[in-house]
Amino acid sequence: MEKLKAKIRTEGRVLGPDVLKVDAFLNHQVDPVLMADIGETFVSLFKDAGVTKVLTLESSGIAPALMTALGLRVPLVFAKKRKSLTLKDDLWTERSFSFTKQEESEVSVSKQFLSPADVVLIVDDFLANGQAAQAMAGIVRKAGASVAGIGIVIEKSFQPGRRLLTEAGYRVESLARIARLSEDSIEFEE
Ligand code: 5GP
């Protein structure tokens, strides 16, 4: 998605060899017009996949996932990173190692919001090692629902996430694929 790549080039900030900061337009300040375009792009990719729900992880995934759910006319569910105060019996839960926080956390979704009839599109802001997407896919499986695919806004293709997810059989669609990051350049996959 050329508009997204241009935004990453002009407003993205590289923090070390493997972290890209995009809080000027995606995960702190949010560009709503760009989010609408991202949503439309995911809709065009997954419109024939029979999606009944969009699933993301709080909080950075919510903006692009909401615009996708709006376009598909289906509900958005966001997985929570902290245990809810309600009984754990009411939750589907998976463990996930956070790339940015470098710590393990639990992500959970209320059993109320996923059923075996659901066909779920997973959307997230970044794909690095694939932990967040795998945890969400695990929750979908536990609910007996199926995964329509995984929509990623920014994939860091030099990290193993895409390979792990495609080897597990998931369809992965990324709107910007970064081949390399360095202090002075952001290189995209051809
Ligand atoms: P993974 O679980 O694939 O290792 O990492 C994906 C999750 O970590 C995403 O939900 C995202 O919030 C965060 N993340 C991974 N890499 C980056 C990055 O380079 N920049 C930012 N801002 N977040 C990242």
Side-chain angles (χ1 to χ4, degrees):
M1 192 181 157
E2 288 311 316
K3 192 176 161 187
L4 172 64
K5 288 192 205 168
K7 196 83 168 170
I8 294 170
R9 276 196 198 94
T10 54
E11 295 184 29
R13 297 285 169 263
V14 179
L15 300 183
D18 59 5
V19 179
L20 178 66
K21 202 170 171 191
V22 289
D23 59 359
F25 61 92
L26 182 56
N27 47 30
H28 190 13
Q29 174 170 263
V30 177
D31 179 338
V33 177
L34 181 66
M35 292 308 120
D37 290 349
I38 286 170
E40 266 176 37
T41 309
F42 281 137
V43 169
S44 66
L45 288 164
F46 288 101
K47 63 179 183 314
D48 299 322
V51 175
T52 63
K53 288 203 176 160
V54 174
L55 176 65
T56 190
L57 186 57
E58 68 174 355
S59 57
S60 320
I62 293 176
L66 178 63
M67 298 317 290
T68 308
L70 175 67
L72 290 169
R73 295 290 190 269
V74 299
L76 162 69
V77 178
F78 60 88
K80 299 201 173 192
K81 280 181 187 157
R82 255 172 257 128
K83 267 179 246 175
S84 157
L85 291 175
T86 55
L87 280 177
K88 238 185 129 184
D89 289 352
D90 298 337
L91 303 171
W92 299 117
T93 299
E94 282 282 342
R95 301 194 76 77
S96 166
F97 187 81
S98 165
F99 178 80
T100 39
K101 296 203 180 100
Q102 290 290 304
E103 63 183 27
E104 191 161 81
S105 68
E106 268 195 339
V107 297
S108 56
V109 171
S110 169
K111 289 184 178 174
Q112 220 186 321
F113 301 126
L114 287 176
S115 81
D118 280 317
V119 179
V120 180
L121 172 60
I122 292 168
V123 169
D124 206 5
D125 60 340
F126 272 94
L127 177 58
N129 295 324
Q131 287 271 314
Q134 273 179 325
M136 286 189 273
I139 284 172
V140 174
R141 269 202 316 274
K142 282 182 176 172
S146 59
V147 176
I150 299 172
I152 298 292
V153 180
I154 305 173
E155 171 189 313
K156 290 177 293 175
S157 309
F158 54 87
Q159 292 175 311
R162 167 179 281 269
R163 184 178 49 77
L164 289 175
L165 297 175
T166 49
E167 280 175 6
Y170 299 114
R171 173 184 172 195
V172 179
E173 299 283 357
S174 305
L175 305 187
R177 301 184 65 200
I178 296 177
R180 253 172 305 281
L181 285 178
S182 67
E183 293 278 306
D184 43 18
S185 78
I186 298 169
E187 282 175 48
F188 293 97
E189 294 277 339
E190 287 307 312

